[in-house]
Amino acid sequence: MGNYFLLFFSSLIEMLILIVYFSKKRINLFENKVYISLLVCNVICLVLEICCNLCANNILPVDRNVIVRLFLVFLMLWGFLLTIYTNVISVADNKKYKMIVIVYLILFLVLSVPLLFLPVNFLKYNDLYYADGSAINYLAIVATGYLIINIILVIINYKTVGKRMLPVIAYIFLMLIAILIHNVDPTISAINCLETFVGLLMYFTIENPDVLMVEALNIAKEQADKANQAKTDFLSNMSHEIRTPLNAIVGFSQNLYEENIPDSVKGQVEDIISASDSLLEIVNGILDISKIEANKLEIINDEYSFKKVFDELVSLTRARMKDKPLDFRFYYDESIPKVLYGDKLRVKQVILNILTNSVKYTKEGFIDFKVNSFIKDDICRLIISVEDSGIGIKKENLDKLFTKFQRFEEKNTTIEGTGLGLAITKKLVELMKGQIIVQSIYGEGSKFTIALDQRIIINPTKDLEESTHLSLDSEIFDLTGKRILIVDDNKLNLKVAAKMLEKYKIETELVESGFACLEKIKTNNKYDLIFLDDMMPKMNGVTTLNELKKIEGFNIPVVILTANAISGMREKYIKEGFDEYLAKPIERNKLNSILKKFLM
């Protein structure tokens, strides 16, 4: 009834597989449970076959007829379990698993009954016993049946399932070899040994817990990447959808504010602009924090004038103070090099967030804004501090200060904001390899200190403006004779842009699509500048620009005018070939900068 050594060796391998398998962390999948059942069933089969041999030689005092029938039942069960496994790995719908198991187990219970009653004969060959008779022939017929089922499943599902079918293919091939061996020498029963080999092959190919964990992680990563991309696309669309009407509100409000209107009306217009700025700040905050969470916010370093950045921060802070009775004191170390290398926009954003926070939470008293430095080799460490006499922060709230959407002093309904500013600030400081600390005494005030390393530039490669105060009211200058083509699918946006440019005495022409823009250029219309929206139906801004550049002799500067204001968009559009970037809502000072650059 078989070779003791071969059976013992197979049992040892099967036990080792079980021990190693259960010693590792596993993913709890249904197919894993079927695989474990296969291993356990094979161990039982091996033990029962050894017992059959011992009974045949009168070493084990047990009725060999009972042991043989149990062995045949478990042998059939293993075949059914393998067929269940083949079905499970072929089916994507988890709901079908339960039905597959029920059908095959009922089939097994029905088909295994004859094994308990059909006659089994014990014959002797070369002084060794082996089982024969109707029960063995019946099992061979059933085995042939599920063998055919497995062959059909392999043929149907191999393209979709691939390597997961390899153990099943190996089983089919080895089963044919085992039948040939059994016909040559009926005392050699290789079926259980090949089942052990199939279990081993499955472990090292498709059921290894380590491999499955890696595969699961890769799938999770792929799904996370898809989710992040979907989130980015959604945020880009959201930015466009919110900024488009906001552009109209801000643009018309600014134009109205610049008109000769009564002071009472001007105050109401100021409130509209202020509310719009608050909404814009919320949108920008959500976009930034989402970019940070998706690890897609980049630090873009370049040369910049420190004094220019400092002066702009002072001007912006004064504008935010409005009529508050605050003593705003500012100072910077004169030894700070004129030109530094870092992400100017992010440095400004970080400092402005802290300054804005101080203005928001300080009703009276002072705000001290200081920038000191520590220079070593070619690195300038900026030590930026903002101290105020505001409401302060309770000690138990200091740890929560940089948490998203965290707000304190809920009773103070006059304070606006989402609580995103400080969370973004901390993330940005960390991305720039800096540090931020806060000291506060509740009821007396707070002090934020930021340390940022910036590289010193001795010989700048760019002409950087040394000066200067940021003009908040932004001058209007005469550009009579200049022509600008504005391309936007939104009529309100066209009206806003035209109204803002009207004050410069610029001649504007408005079109609502990329196709119309191309037609204007192809019919030899002359323009000094083109403002081009990106998110337009049928032909977007990037496609329109590419088509414009195919027109012979085209050399008009093209500025992308877009509501897609997610971090990094300026760099993206410049790389696409645009000459400059202007975000909606249009800010007068940024519009002035572009007009001076291209039209003066």
Side-chain angles (χ1 to χ4, degrees):
M1 295 265 313
N3 187 294
Y4 284 112
F5 175 76
L6 193 58
L7 293 172
F8 176 77
F9 185 69
S10 297
S11 301
L12 183 62
I13 290 174
E14 199 74 11
M15 292 300 296
L16 286 173
I17 294 173
L18 280 168
I19 291 168
V20 173
Y21 189 82
F22 282 106
S23 67
K24 293 178 176 289
K25 287 185 177 180
R26 304 177 305 282
I27 299 172
N28 189 24
L29 299 174
F30 186 76
E31 67 181 70
N32 303 144
K33 295 176 181 178
V34 180
Y35 175 64
I36 292 167
S37 301
L38 277 167
L39 295 180
V40 173
C41 184
N42 193 38
V43 169
I44 295 171
C45 282
L46 287 164
V47 172
L48 287 172
E49 188 166 8
I50 292 171
C51 290
C52 287
N53 279 271
L54 294 173
C55 290
N57 292 284
N58 298 316
I59 298 172
L60 189 65
V62 179
D63 186 353
R64 62 182 181 179
N65 192 56
V66 174
I67 298 297
V68 169
R69 291 183 187 281
L70 279 175
F71 168 66
L72 295 176
V73 169
F74 276 95
L75 203 58
M76 180 187 285
L77 178 60
W78 193 94
F80 272 96
L81 287 172
L82 181 67
T83 310
I84 290 172
Y85 185 87
T86 310
N87 275 271
V88 167
I89 63 174
S90 305
V91 176
D93 188 358
N94 293 359
K95 294 178 181 178
K96 292 182 180 179
Y97 291 171
K98 190 174 181 181
M99 184 59 67
I100 289 169
V101 174
I102 291 171
V103 170
Y104 276 101
L105 285 181
I106 291 172
L107 194 60
F108 162 72
L109 291 172
V110 172
L111 294 176
S112 63
V113 172
L115 289 175
L116 303 176
F117 303 102
L118 288 172
V120 176
N121 301 321
F122 297 95
L123 305 176
K124 194 172 185 181
Y125 179 79
N126 291 335
D127 295 326
L128 293 172
Y129 288 95
Y130 68 94
D132 199 1
S134 301
I136 306 300
N137 296 331
Y138 173 76
L139 178 61
I141 294 170
V142 175
T144 304
Y146 61 66
L147 204 61
I148 292 169
I149 293 172
N150 280 288
I151 292 170
I152 293 170
L153 288 171
V154 167
I155 293 170
I156 293 173
N157 299 296
Y158 185 77
K159 284 187 178 180
T160 55
V161 182
K163 70 174 186 177
R164 297 173 70 78
M165 284 294 183
L166 289 178
V168 182
I169 296 169
Y171 169 72
I172 294 167
F173 178 72
L174 291 172
M175 177 65 83
L176 296 173
I177 293 175
I179 292 169
L180 290 174
I181 293 172
H182 187 73
N183 287 334
V184 173
D185 187 347
T187 63
I188 300 175
S189 179
I191 294 175
N192 275 324
C193 299
L194 78 84
E195 289 175 356
T196 302
F197 177 79
V198 170
L200 192 64
L201 183 62
M202 290 170 75
Y203 179 84
F204 283 106
T205 53
I206 60 175
E207 288 299 333
N208 188 318
D210 295 335
V211 174
L212 288 175
M213 289 288 280
V214 171
E215 287 178 354
L217 287 172
N218 288 335
I219 291 170
K221 182 181 180 298
E222 186 179 335
Q223 291 173 341
D225 290 341
K226 287 180 180 177
N228 279 332
Q229 186 56 50
K231 184 178 180 181
T232 300
D233 294 341
F234 167 75
L235 290 172
S236 180
N237 289 330
M238 185 189 77
S239 172
H240 181 265
E241 294 302 322
I242 294 177
R243 284 171 176 271
T244 297
L246 193 58
N247 177 53
I249 296 169
V250 173
F252 287 129
S253 299
Q254 286 178 344
N255 287 324
L256 190 61
Y257 184 80
E258 292 164 1
E259 298 291 340
N260 186 20
I261 55 176
D263 289 342
S264 58
V265 177
K266 186 164 277 194
Q268 292 173 355
V269 174
E270 278 184 336
D271 290 339
I272 295 172
I273 295 173
S274 177
S276 301
D277 287 340
S278 297
L279 180 56
L280 190 60
E281 185 181 336
I282 292 169
V283 173
N284 290 338
I286 292 171
L287 294 175
D288 273 346
I289 204 74
S290 299
K291 274 281 185 181
I292 290 169
E293 287 180 345
N295 293 319
K296 290 188 176 181
L297 194 147
E298 298 178 1
I299 298 300
I300 302 169
N301 296 319
D302 202 355
E303 298 172 7
Y304 69 91
S305 164
F306 166 76
K307 188 175 186 302
K308 183 181 178 184
V309 169
F310 181 86
D311 287 345
E312 287 178 355
L313 287 166
V314 169
S315 296
L316 287 166
T317 305
R318 280 176 166 164
R320 279 163 167 72
M321 286 166 53
K322 295 184 179 177
D323 298 328
K324 277 192 174 184
L326 296 175
D327 181 13
F328 179 45
R329 305 183 292 238
F330 49 91
Y331 159 85
Y332 74 89
D333 186 350
E334 295 287 346
S335 66
I336 296 175
K338 292 181 179 180
V339 181
L340 299 175
Y341 183 80
D343 192 330
K344 176 183 73 172
L345 294 176
R346 295 306 177 187
V347 171
K348 279 179 64 178
Q349 184 179 355
V350 161
I351 300 172
L352 190 59
N353 279 348
I354 300 298
L355 286 167
T356 301
N357 216 54
S358 284
V359 172
K360 189 185 294 183
Y361 289 96
T362 307
K363 290 183 179 179
E364 57 185 11
F366 68 89
I367 296 175
D368 283 346
F369 171 36
K370 298 178 182 177
V371 184
N372 290 292
S373 67
F374 175 76
I375 297 173
K376 184 178 180 182
D377 299 328
D378 65 339
I379 298 297
C380 174
R381 174 163 292 181
L382 300 176
I383 310 297
I384 305 144
S385 67
V386 177
E387 185 174 2
D388 61 56
S389 58
I391 62 175
I393 306 159
K394 292 179 180 178
K395 189 175 181 180
E396 61 267 25
N397 288 333
L398 283 173
D399 292 338
K400 305 174 188 174
L401 192 61
F402 297 106
T403 304
K404 288 182 298 181
F405 305 108
Q406 184 65 58
R407 290 275 306 277
F408 307 118
E409 299 302 315
E410 291 83 353
K411 294 179 182 179
N412 192 342
T413 56
T414 63
I415 295 173
E416 299 175 351
T418 61
L420 277 175
L422 289 179
I424 293 169
T425 298
K426 189 174 191 301
K427 291 287 186 182
L428 288 175
V429 169
E430 289 171 350
L431 282 172
M432 291 187 286
K433 311 299 183 186
Q435 290 181 305
I436 181 170
I437 59 172
V438 58
Q439 301 161 285
S440 185
I441 300 174
Y442 185 65
E444 295 184 22
S446 305
K447 181 178 181 180
F448 288 81
T449 305
I450 299 169
L452 286 176
D453 287 349
Q454 306 283 275
R455 189 151 58 85
I456 299 168
I457 300 297
I458 304 299
N459 299 309
T461 59
K462 300 179 180 180
D463 291 329
L464 301 170
E465 295 180 29
E466 182 67 33
S467 93
T468 11
H469 250 41
L470 180 68
S471 176
L472 294 174
D473 292 327
S474 294
E475 60 179 319
I476 304 294
F477 37 87
D478 192 338
L479 291 173
T480 302
K482 301 295 182 182
R483 297 189 75 213
I484 292 180
L485 177 64
I486 307 172
V487 188
D488 198 313
D489 63 303
N490 187 290
K491 290 182 180 180
L492 271 180
N493 284 338
L494 289 173
K495 286 182 180 179
V496 168
K499 190 70 177 175
M500 291 189 80
L501 292 169
E502 185 182 277
K503 298 180 183 297
Y504 301 88
K505 298 182 180 178
I506 295 173
E507 183 184 342
T508 58
E509 193 157 354
L510 314 178
V511 294
E512 296 181 21
S513 70
F515 299 105
C517 170
L518 292 172
E519 189 63 31
K520 289 287 182 184
I521 301 302
K522 287 177 180 177
T523 52
N524 295 319
N525 286 278
K526 303 297 181 185
Y527 304 100
D528 299 289
L529 184 62
I530 296 175
F531 282 124
L532 180 60
D533 184 29
D534 183 26
M535 293 187 179
M536 297 184 293
K538 296 182 181 178
M539 182 184 285
N540 62 25
V542 175
T543 305
T544 305
L545 177 66
N546 292 333
E547 292 299 317
L548 284 170
K549 290 186 175 182
K550 293 177 183 177
I551 299 173
E552 187 177 350
F554 179 80
N555 61 356
I556 304 170
V558 182
V559 175
I560 188 73
L561 178 60
T562 179
N564 189 3
I566 294 178
S567 306
M569 284 297 108
R570 182 181 185 278
E571 291 72 24
K572 172 184 175 293
Y573 283 119
I574 297 297
K575 193 178 289 185
E576 293 281 1
F578 289 92
D579 295 282
E580 196 46 85
Y581 168 90
L582 184 60
K584 302 173 189 174
I586 301 170
E587 294 180 28
R588 178 72 73 181
N589 62 304
K590 290 182 180 177
L591 175 63
N592 279 353
S593 175
I594 287 172
L595 294 178
K596 287 177 180 178
K597 181 177 179 178
F598 294 108
L599 301 183
M600 293 181 70

